[in-house]
Amino acid sequence: MKSFNVNQDGYYGRFGGAYVPEILRANVENLKEIYLRELNDPAFQAEFRELLRDYVGRPSPLYYARRLSEKYGTKIYLKREDLNHTGAHKINNTIGQILLARRMGKKRIIAETGAGQHGVATATVCALMNMECVVYMGATDVKRQLSNVEKMEMLGAKVIAVESGNQTLKDAVNEAIQDWCSHPRDTYYIIGSAVGPHPYPDMVARFQSVISEEIRKQLLEKEGREEPDYVIACIGGGSNAAGAFYHFLDSSEVKLIAAEAAGKGLESGESAATIHLGSEGIIHGSRTLVMQTPDGQVIEPYSISAGLDYPGIGPLQAYMAQEKRSEVLAITDDEALRAVYSITKMEGIIPALESAHALAVLERKTFQPGDIVVINLSGRGDKDMQTYRQLKAAYTEQ
Ligand SMILES: *Cc1c(COP(=O)(O)O)cnc(C)c1O
């Protein structure tokens, strides 16, 4: 059987690795050498677990969605990552990484953010641990996501608006890497998804794997079996999916479905469906699929959902798709929005736009009445209310 574990050199098949500037080589090597030992240290685990429980509010519920189940003629459970402190799964990872940074004696934290969700989660744990925090954010995103900027600043972070390139997420990552190059000794870079140079993708997947660990326990209690028939998650960089899939990777009977953002459609030229449209290349320290021109220029991605609007994909997700361990569906803005309004009315849950891409898979696939389908509800929709308000008329008249 194929292994979906990262190998010694940081690869999943052809994808992964650590392509970093020379000045960061020692940092990345050091992290690679210590991360497994630190993460597996019982004292580390005890502190991580305690914070997940008492600060984040874990375990997040596994909720049986009765009306959705009736509508689609199958058993649908929602894994409620939207109920976590700060409103999404991202806090699981930032707690893990800041504990590691503290153990490494680092004094200063940097992070990149697109929509601001990872920036808020990082600023939150920096306040908690009394650490200096600098967040890089594209200038375009700063304007679009003002309330998250205000939260980060209130939490004590310094938000730097990046004016280079298209002034969005990939430019923010580039600036954060520049900063890291200038301060390799005292600074720890908290990456927000299962992307970047090895060991980040594996480390982030391990922190997020608490999601599938809980799903197994919760399903055993509710259904008398640990394994569902399907797990569905959206993919931006691939961290919530990595977490929701992790403890099912080697269970070949559990079908794993990833929903990437098709934006206005695969053929529209305005899309963020990296697995459908990308080709092999190197982005932000790893070899993976990249949306790029034939001569290697990164193509600016588009999705209505800022959290899925990334021109790369984590190496694990690229490998799973290549090996057909996952089925990848490209969900359009329109499909995601339909899911938002329908789930809100049927279940009383306003999902994040990102999570709505996973929910929209229900309209694409047919399930058997006895199937157990778990959908990872990665975040809540508060941050998207402006979009929802503007589009309400178009999506709610019958
Ligand atoms: C950031 C974000 C995502 C996408 O990131 P992944 O690393 O792919 O999980 C998905 N959902 C929400 C709510 C997010 O904030």
Side-chain angles (χ1 to χ4, degrees), residues 138-149:
T140 310
D141 291 332
V142 168
K143 284 184 216 112
R144 286 195 290 207
Q145 308 286 339
L146 214 53
S147 86
N148 276 339
V149 175

Side-chain angles (χ1 to χ4, degrees), residues 140-189:
T140 310
D141 291 332
V142 168
K143 284 184 216 112
R144 286 195 290 207
Q145 308 286 339
L146 214 53
S147 86
N148 276 339
V149 175
E150 285 165 354
K151 281 184 195 167
M152 288 183 262
E153 288 176 343
M154 186 166 170
L155 288 158
K158 182 171 168 198
V159 179
I160 298 183
V162 175
E163 310 278 354
S164 58
N166 283 61
Q167 314 189 336
T168 57
L169 178 59
K170 89 173 154 39
D171 312 298
V173 178
N174 289 337
E175 286 297 317
I177 292 174
Q178 278 305 317
D179 178 313
W180 201 20
C181 289
S182 314
H183 309 90
R185 281 182 163 276
D186 67 333
T187 297
Y188 182 94
Y189 179 14

Side-chain angles (χ1 to χ4, degrees), residues 10 56 92 118-119 187 206 267 276 377 387:
V56 175
N92 304 325
H118 175 57
T187 297
R206 283 168 189 266
E267 265 92 65
H276 281 83
L377 199 69
T387 306

Side-chain angles (χ1 to χ4, degrees), residues 50-58 85 91 95 124-125 127-128:
E50 185 179 319
L51 284 168
L52 289 183
R53 188 189 65 214
D54 298 339
Y55 189 70
V56 175
R58 303 203 72 92
H85 180 43
I91 190 94
I95 296 240
T124 298
V125 296
L128 181 70

Side-chain angles (χ1 to χ4, degrees), residues 81-82 86-90 115-118 192-195 204 208 233-243 259 305-309 313-314 317 351-356 376-381 383-384:
E81 293 300 299
D82 61 317
T86 70
H89 66 291
K90 292 215 168 65
Q117 294 300 104
H118 175 57
S193 186
V195 300
V204 174
Q208 294 292 358
C234 66
I235 44 174
S239 73
N240 87 88
S305 149
L308 303 183
D309 198 354
I313 182 71
Q317 299 306 324
L353 268 169
E354 292 81 7
S355 320
N376 198 39
L377 199 69
S378 55
R380 68 176 85 122
K383 66 184 178 59
D384 300 311

Side-chain angles (χ1 to χ4, degrees), residues 222-273:
K222 289 171 196 289
E223 295 283 348
R225 58 165 156 132
E226 289 184 12
E227 296 188 344
D229 296 284
Y230 293 88
V231 182
I232 305 174
C234 66
I235 44 174
S239 73
N240 87 88
F245 296 167
Y246 197 87
H247 292 282
F248 302 113
L249 285 171
D250 297 330
S251 310
S252 53
E253 326 76 65
V254 183
K255 297 173 205 68
L256 306 174
I257 301 180
E260 62 176 2
K264 294 186 179 164
L266 285 176
E267 265 92 65
S268 68
E270 292 180 77
S271 178

Side-chain angles (χ1 to χ4, degrees), residues 31-46:
L31 200 56
K32 175 181 151 188
E33 260 148 45
I34 65 159
Y35 84 109
L36 286 180
R37 191 181 65 227
E38 296 292 333
L39 264 59
N40 292 329
D41 179 346
F44 181 96
Q45 278 298 323

